[in-house]
Each structure stands twice: as structure tokens, then as C-alpha cells.
Amino acid sequence: MTQSMRSSVGSSLLIVFSMLCCFVTLRAADTNFHNAPESARETKNPYEGQKAAALAGKTLYARNCLSCHGKAGQGVGNVPSLVDGKIESVTSGEVFWFVSKGDKKDGMPSWAFLPAQQRWQVVTFVKSLGLSQTSQDANTPAPPDMSTAKLKAPAPRPPFTDFRYENPGTKRKITVRDLPQPYATRSAENSPELVARPSNIWPAAPAGFKVELYAADFDEPRLLRTAPNGDIFLAESGAGRIRVFRGMTGDGKPEEASIFASGLKRPYGLAFYPPGPDPQWLYVGNTDEVVRIPYHSGDLKASGLPQHIASLPAGGGHWTRSVEFSADGKKMFVAVGSASNDDDTDNNSAEKDRADILSCDPSACELHVYAYGIRNAGGGLGINPQTGELWCSVNERDALGDNLVPDYITHVQEGGFYGWPWWYIGAHQDPRQKGKHPELKDKVIVPDVLLQPHNASLEFTFYGGKQFPADYKGDMFASQHGSWNKTVRAGYEVIRVPLHQSGHASGEYEDFLTGFVLPDGNVWGRPVGVTVAPDGSLLVSDDGSNSIWRVSYKGK
Ligand code: HEC
């Protein structure tokens, strides 16, 4: 293959990776791009370096941007060039911010009406435009494939691990004593570039379990919830839709499928209300509000329009909003993740009512803070059926090194403080917040289960089915979407958190469903949602291959 035939998008994205650190430093003295706020600059592109995202962005560019900025991004008249080096020198977060906001006065439209995913895709493409020109013009050799180079990295030191050592059934436990110092290793830029699943590759579960493809061809399948009548609901966030599935065929597929509701703004959280066998509503966490949709058992289509329940802060990073009700139905919980990685909330109004779990009376909702310092529990909230406690799954902060800060799963104490942004995992001060809030030092709760740092822990469920072996009863399953801020990736699996038939965690967890990363380090699948089907099998949504997997127990 000659250089000119080489995928310019792919190779240029690798340059983006390897040079990002330098751009950030170079830019430190400049004024911000179009006066973008600091938080915009820090916002990470969730699709950074993903070839599929850049390709999707190319189509979006052709549809929306090409008419003004030109086919190659060269610009014309008062429409600026996107390939003169300026766009490369600023962060994806800044470009995203400007593209969302636009500048009406100077003739650049606002693209805020496009879903955030599409805006990030177009940013991924635009960021790659100028680089592909320089690398082609200079006819430089392609940069090394970082994903495979990384595989020569030494084996991780337990209890930390990476995808090479994830195996169904392997038990792990991370304790506070295991935490390294901040910056013990460099902060990595290692976002996955999604590839298609090779036909001989399949997710792996422990012996005795079977994995089947339940359904496929979704647009960003995210949270899964089982309705009281056994129907399976899916938030198809990219499409702004909620789907519903019913029944199970002999080969593990739904017997019926339907679109329950559409036209929603990045829906993620789903919760039936009131709790119990006869719900009247499906509450939905859209990125900027909680709405409820009329629902009665058996409905495959919503019988009415969404009603507004509460507004939520939105924008910046962390768009998912998980929703749950207390077992008595008297409290609604909604988790809103931080806008930034680790901004001091005292100085950033964009962080108001974020990095919190909020709560209200669902019949007359006025949100207040229920628990705080929780960087992002937007991926998962749930009530432990055995204890009635609220539990959450949390994405902790980045850029302190490979093995800091652990993500976690924990029960939530009302009024509890979990550290972000000033402290982490007990009385450890974030070095970027030195000297701040000493009065909170001894208030920081150490979570129940520390997970691999950067795993991106998302939805979890408590296993209440009858199909799996008896010692699984009441245990948690949790999806780990997978890291970007770790030299060799970790996560990209579903884990089991044993609750030992007591409803309480001991800090242990084990790998349950693995195999979403290929041996060469490329990623084809990313678990997000987990729920238990009426027959006791486990369903797992995957927004890497845009499908849902079914795990059932067949016995030894
Ligand atoms: C109607 C014409 C038009 C369209 C369509 C358009 N732009 Fe622009 N764009 C402009 C103009 C004019 C500016 C300069 C605005 C300014 O200086 O504030 C601009 C500025 C920009 C900038 C900042 C460039 C710099 O160097 O400061 C970016 C990035 C950008 N556009 C991206 C996009 C993307 C991505 C799309 C498609 C989603 C798009 N534009 C669609 C006219 C357009």
C-alpha cells in the first residue's frame, strides 16, 4: 500500500494522540480559542482517536460544513480555513464548544441542535483534517501503531491489571493501601479505535455459561431495564429512542420488538414508577431533564407524551443521567456527573449541582443534594433489594497516572461526601487542589468496592434470577465500559461483585464477561447496560458493536 492510499484519517489520529501533550503545553500561554471557558478546554472527546467516529464525522461534515468551509477544509472569503494549523493547536473540547455555540454575528451557525455524539464525531474529523494534509504533504512514514506497541508493556503489578490479564472467574481486590502516589506514571492518551468484531471472536464467560447475540444494529445502545412484567427496555441514546423487547426464543432472541418512545434528548436513565408490580410511569433521564412517560404493564408503545419533571444541569463532560426510586417510592434519585475532570467547584459555576446524586419527592419534584463529591454516578444507580440501600457506580478522575484514581461501586450514605474534586478515596488530597477544604479531609467516605482506575464503570444490576448457580443470588453485575487514560487498557468487561448472600460487599470483585479487546489491543465492544431477563439470563448492551449480548447458564 502506498502512502497516498493509506487511510489519512487513521494515521492522522495517531499523530493527534502522540502530540496532544505538546499542544496543551504550547497553548498554556495563549488566550482561549474564541474565548472558550477553561472547562471547555479540558473536556475530553469521548470518541478521541476512533476511526469509526472520524468516518461518521466525515459524512456529517459533508452534509453540514462543506458548503462553507470547503471539501478539504480550506475555507474561502470570510470563512476560515480549518487546516491552517489553528484547529490542531487547540483541544477537541474547545472546538466542540465553538461548534456547539457558533458565532451568529460572524456567520458561523450554532450546531447545538445536532446530538452531542454527532458534534464530537464532526470534531474528530475536523481535528484530523489538517494533520492528514501535513503528513501526506511531507510524505512522512506512518507513525507506529501505538495500540500494539503498548502490548510490550510489562505485566501489571497486582491488584492492578489490564485487558491482557482479564479472565472470567479471576478474583480481584484493591484496597486503599494499594494506591500509588499521584503521577507515579504518566497520564496516558489511549482511547480505543473501534474495529469490527472478527467472526471468530466472541465474548467469554466462566465455564458453564453460554453467550449469545440477543439483538443488534442499534444506534448507541446504553442502559437496560427490565419492566415488572418482564419486558426489556433499552435507552438507545444516540437515536433519542427507547426500545422494548418481549419474550425469548429458543436461540436467545426477543420474540417481539418495538419502539416505545422517540424524540428524546440523549436518554439514558430509565426507572418505573411507582415501584412494584403496577407502574404508571416510565421516568427517563434525558441529558438535561427528567421526564416521565405514561406506562402500563404490557405497553409496547407510549400512550402519551413525555412530561417534564425536573431540569438538570447539562453540557461539558458526562452526559448520562441515571434515575432510580427508593423501594417505598417516596424518593427519586438522579445522578449528574461533573462537567470537568477535576475543576474546583468553588470557582466554576458550571459545576453547580453536578458531581452529585440529587433527590426529590417524585410527586412534587424539587431537587436537592442527597450525596456529593461523586464525580460521575450518571452511569449507574440502583436499589439493593436485600438492604433497600441506594448503590452507585462511579467514574473517578483522570490524569493522575495509570493506577489512580480507582473507579468504584458503593452503597450511598445520605449526606455523604465522596471526595471530588478536593479529595479521593478517603483522606487523599488531589494534588491539583492542594490546601483546599481541609475541613472535609476526615469526611471523605471510602467506597465499598474499589475498581481498576479508569475502567469507566457504568450500569449494574443485582442478580435476582433463578437460572445462575445459587451462590450468584443477590450478587451484582456491573459493566466496565473501558479506559482511555491508562497505558494498557483495562475494563471492557462485565464484572461480578459478590455480596455473599448478605447484601454487603467485601471489596472483592471478579471478571465475568471479557473478550471485547482483541489480543492486539484493538477494541470491538464496550459494555454499558446490564439487566436480568425473566428467564434469569443476563443481558448486556454494548455500544462498541451496537448490540445486546445474552449470557445464560447451562451447567458444567
Ligand atoms: C454558513 C457557513 C458556515 C457553515 C455551514 C459552517 N461554518 Fe464554521 N465558520 C463559518 C464562519 C464564517 C466562521 C468564522 C467565525 C468567526 O470568526 O467567529 C466559522 C468558524 C468555524 C470554526 C473556527 C475556525 C477558527 O479558526 O477560528 C470552526 C472550528 C468551524 N467553523 C467549524 C465548522 C463545522 C464543524 C461546521 C459544520 C458542522 C461548520 N463550521 C459549518 C461559517 C460556516
Side-chain angles (χ1 to χ4, degrees):
M1 186 164 58
T2 65
Q3 178 61 29
S4 57
M5 286 164 66
R6 203 179 290 277
S7 156
S8 58
V9 172
S11 52
S12 59
L13 286 173
L14 288 167
I15 302 183
V16 175
F17 277 154
S18 49
M19 297 180 75
L20 200 70
C21 54
C22 321
F23 290 140
V24 172
T25 340
L26 278 176
R27 286 242 327 122
D30 292 347
T31 53
N32 288 355
F33 181 63
H34 292 271
N35 297 318
E38 210 59 21
S39 58
R41 182 155 137 196
E42 312 289 22
T43 307
K44 289 277 172 330
N45 179 355
Y47 306 97
E48 188 88 53
Q50 296 183 15
K51 202 181 239 170
L55 285 175
K58 188 174 182 180
T59 312
L60 290 162
Y61 180 90
R63 199 182 300 151
N64 299 305
C65 324
L66 182 148
S67 61
C68 289
H69 287 281
K71 187 160 193 272
Q74 73 280 12
V76 61
N78 68 339
V79 180
S81 164
L82 301 176
V83 293
D84 62 2
K86 187 164 165 198
I87 299 303
E88 284 135 72
S89 72
V90 300
T91 71
S92 294
E94 286 170 296
V95 179
F96 179 84
W97 176 86
F98 183 68
V99 168
S100 305
K101 188 173 122 331
D103 186 342
K104 265 207 196 92
K105 176 173 62 60
D106 286 329
M108 164 69 178
S110 157
W111 300 94
F113 66 90
L114 290 178
Q117 183 192 26
Q118 295 187 8
R119 275 175 279 148
W120 281 119
Q121 287 167 337
V122 88
V123 167
T124 310
F125 173 70
V126 164
K127 286 282 283 176
S128 74
L129 263 175
L131 291 167
S132 62
Q133 284 214 334
T134 17
S135 61
Q136 275 177 352
D137 291 350
N139 205 18
T140 44
D145 182 344
M146 305 237 308
S147 58
T148 47
K150 287 285 152 51
L151 300 187
K152 299 195 182 77
R157 196 168 46 83
F160 300 107
T161 193
D162 62 53
F163 80 92
R164 299 170 298 174
Y165 299 86
E166 289 169 1
N167 267 312
T170 302
K171 291 189 170 43
R172 309 182 182 281
K173 182 172 183 173
I174 299 174
T175 69
V176 176
R177 272 197 324 263
D178 297 315
L179 303 189
Q181 290 300 312
Y183 309 120
T185 52
R186 250 184 61 246
S187 175
E189 283 275 346
N190 188 20
S191 296
E193 196 173 317
L194 285 175
V195 296
R197 178 178 57 79
S199 56
N200 61 337
I201 296 286
W202 208 247
F209 289 88
K210 179 176 176 188
V211 185
E212 292 163 300
L213 185 62
Y214 173 78
D217 298 323
F218 299 113
D219 180 356
E220 226 195 335
R222 300 285 278 187
L223 189 120
L224 285 165
R225 275 270 165 144
T226 305
N229 75 340
D231 287 347
I232 307 292
F233 281 68
L234 168 73
E236 197 182 12
S237 306
R241 276 196 291 254
I242 296 170
R243 290 189 185 255
V244 53
F245 307 97
R246 177 170 296 168
M248 189 77 77
T249 65
D251 55 353
K253 307 235 178 312
E255 283 167 335
E256 261 182 278
S258 162
I259 291 175
F260 178 74
S262 52
L264 299 162
K265 195 163 174 190
R266 294 202 58 72
Y268 183 90
L270 301 175
F272 295 94
Y273 179 83
D278 192 22
Q280 307 295 309
W281 304 97
L282 175 63
Y283 279 62
V284 180
N286 287 342
T287 195
D288 58 354
E289 63 174 339
V290 178
V291 297
R292 66 178 190 186
I293 302 175
Y295 171 76
H296 299 99
S297 279
D299 288 355
L300 289 173
K301 275 192 190 339
S303 58
L305 292 173
Q307 300 176 356
H308 173 84
I309 295 296
S311 299
L312 301 174
H318 300 150
W319 60 268
T320 61
R321 308 287 179 250
S322 49
V323 180
E324 182 56 297
F325 293 100
S326 59
D328 62 7
K330 290 194 174 136
K331 287 194 178 95
M332 180 184 92
F333 302 106
V334 54
V336 181
S338 66
S340 66
N341 178 34
D342 71 319
D343 281 8
D344 185 349
T345 48
D346 292 345
N347 310 326
N348 183 353
S349 58
E351 294 293 358
K352 183 167 163 34
D353 292 335
R354 301 192 66 156
D356 294 326
I357 295 174
L358 307 172
S359 178
C360 72
D361 171 351
S363 60
C365 181
E366 292 206 30
L367 290 171
H368 62 273
V369 174
Y370 182 81
Y372 68 116
I374 300 174
R375 182 171 174 275
N376 184 20
L381 285 180
I383 297 292
N384 180 332
Q386 196 171 345
T387 63
E389 293 160 331
L390 177 70
W391 283 62
C392 68
S393 155
V394 177
N395 288 197
E396 258 293 352
R397 68 207 86 180
D398 296 311
L400 292 178
D402 281 345
N403 294 329
L404 274 186
V405 170
D407 280 2
Y408 59 84
I409 288 176
T410 193
H411 81 285
V412 183
Q413 300 181 36
E414 183 164 6
F417 173 57
Y418 291 78
W420 191 89
W422 309 291
W423 302 90
Y424 62 86
I425 318 290
H428 298 90
Q429 185 136 51
D430 188 311
R432 299 161 293 200
Q433 308 292 346
K434 225 176 183 151
K436 292 182 187 163
H437 288 287
E439 80 289 358
L440 291 174
K441 178 175 179 176
D442 297 324
K443 292 216 165 98
V444 193
I445 297 168
V446 176
D448 297 339
V449 187
L450 303 186
L451 306 172
Q452 300 295 319
H454 314 298
N455 252 19
S457 186
L458 295 180
E459 195 186 1
F460 58 83
T461 190
F462 296 90
Y463 187 76
K466 296 205 161 60
Q467 188 185 102
F468 289 9
D471 66 327
Y472 280 81
K473 186 114 195 134
D475 286 358
M476 300 170 80
F477 288 101
S479 281
Q480 310 292 296
H481 198 225
S483 66
W484 68 266
N485 190 222
K486 196 165 152 89
T487 310
V488 182
R489 36 181 124 268
Y492 305 91
E493 62 170 340
V494 177
I495 60 169
R496 168 193 182 190
V497 179
L499 298 187
H500 313 284
Q501 279 70 50
S502 68
H504 302 292
S506 53
E508 289 161 33
Y509 79 87
E510 66 188 59
D511 300 334
F512 181 75
L513 189 68
T514 67
F516 296 94
V517 185
L518 300 176
D520 66 5
N522 281 317
V523 173
W524 65 265
R526 307 194 73 179
V528 178
V530 273
T531 197
V532 182
D535 71 348
S537 56
L538 190 74
L539 298 175
V540 176
S541 71
D542 155 12
D543 71 352
S545 70
N546 288 321
S547 46
I548 301 177
W549 301 94
R550 171 177 185 253
V551 186
S552 57
Y553 186 68
K554 301 286 163 200
K556 306 269 166 188

